[in-house]
Amino acid sequence: MRKIALVAAASAAALSLAACSEATEDSAGETVDSAAADTEANMEAAGNTMEEGAAEMEAGADEMAADADAAAAEVEADVQDETTAEAQAD
């Protein structure tokens, strides 16, 4: 359905450009180029935001893993009646 709509829109645009003057065609071409550049810039910004979010998630996961290791060492230290440092060394 989407492809049909895109083909119809492209056909309508092509027909309307065929009836336009050269200046109008140039203006339309510049508008298309500008829209493409804007789209590319927005996609790049979205990609950068996603990469930053992934880096933050990775840092959070590393912190959670370190907290879990510390908690496990405390439990092991309590169970084996040793210091936390000794439990972490095991």
Side-chain angles (χ1 to χ4, degrees), residues 6-49:
L6 288 174
V7 169
S11 297
L15 287 175
S16 51
L17 283 178
C20 295
S21 68
E22 187 175 331
T24 304
E25 288 179 18
D26 291 343
S27 176
E30 290 171 8
T31 301
V32 169
D33 291 343
S34 176
D38 288 346
T39 301
E40 182 180 355
N42 288 335
M43 293 300 289
E44 186 174 328
N48 290 340
T49 301

Side-chain angles (χ1 to χ4, degrees), residues 20-86:
C20 295
S21 68
E22 187 175 331
T24 304
E25 288 179 18
D26 291 343
S27 176
E30 290 171 8
T31 301
V32 169
D33 291 343
S34 176
D38 288 346
T39 301
E40 182 180 355
N42 288 335
M43 293 300 289
E44 186 174 328
N48 290 340
T49 301
M50 290 175 64
E51 288 176 2
E52 290 169 4
E56 288 177 12
M57 287 179 61
E58 183 179 3
D62 290 344
E63 185 177 330
M64 286 176 55
D67 291 346
D69 287 344
E74 287 179 22
V75 170
E76 182 181 347
D78 287 342
V79 169
Q80 295 183 359
D81 197 29
E82 59 187 6
T83 66
T84 305
E86 292 172 331

